Amino acid sequence: MYEVVLTLSEPAGVGPLSRRLGAVPGAVVTRKRSRPGAGELGAAEVIQLLVPSSAVLAVAIRTLPAFIRSRRSSVTVKLTRGDRTVTLSGGNLDDPQKVFEIVERLLDDE
């Protein structure tokens, strides 16, 4: 099982993205409060994504470009797995090869 935590720059997007990711077969999605980082105030809501395989992770990541484009304001999505983090924004996921590169970066230790 792979765990990836998604943090959004737009807090209002957490619910819609949670629902979108929850529709991915095999994915388990949970919304959680994260602790504030050093020098930050308040807690942010994050999405915990549990997937059984790298293939399911790739499917979940493929849903992100449409989500990002659907938002009225510019939004970034930060994906974190262990000590690896990838940040996505705007149109940097239109190329299918980028999806595989992102999955590889997140799973590099496998």
Side-chain angles (χ1 to χ4, degrees):
M1 191 66 88
Y2 300 103
E3 176 187 1
V4 178
V5 175
L6 291 87
T7 307
L8 279 75
S9 62
E10 177 188 295
V14 171
L17 182 55
S18 293
R19 288 187 292 278
R20 184 180 295 253
L21 292 171
V24 174
V28 176
V29 178
T30 307
R31 292 168 63 171
K32 295 186 169 202
R33 289 259 184 228
S34 70
R35 294 179 184 226
E40 295 178 348
L41 297 174
E45 191 171 22
V46 299
I47 300 169
Q48 177 187 37
L49 174 65
L50 298 173
V51 295
S53 68
S54 59
V56 176
L57 179 58
V59 171
I61 290 172
R62 283 190 198 124
T63 69
L64 296 177
F67 170 77
I68 290 170
R69 284 191 295 270
S70 74
R71 308 308 295 169
R72 290 184 184 180
S73 60
S74 176
V75 63
T76 59
V77 179
K78 182 170 71 170
L79 294 94
T80 304
R81 179 174 179 261
D83 62 349
R84 302 185 194 300
T85 299
V86 178
T87 301
L88 313 173
S89 63
N92 70 350
L93 280 181
D94 287 334
D95 178 5
Q97 183 61 32
K98 293 278 188 196
V99 172
F100 294 113
E101 290 172 13
I102 290 165
V103 171
E104 285 178 10
R105 277 187 258 155
L106 287 173
L107 303 177
D108 196 28
D109 60 333
E110 300 300 312

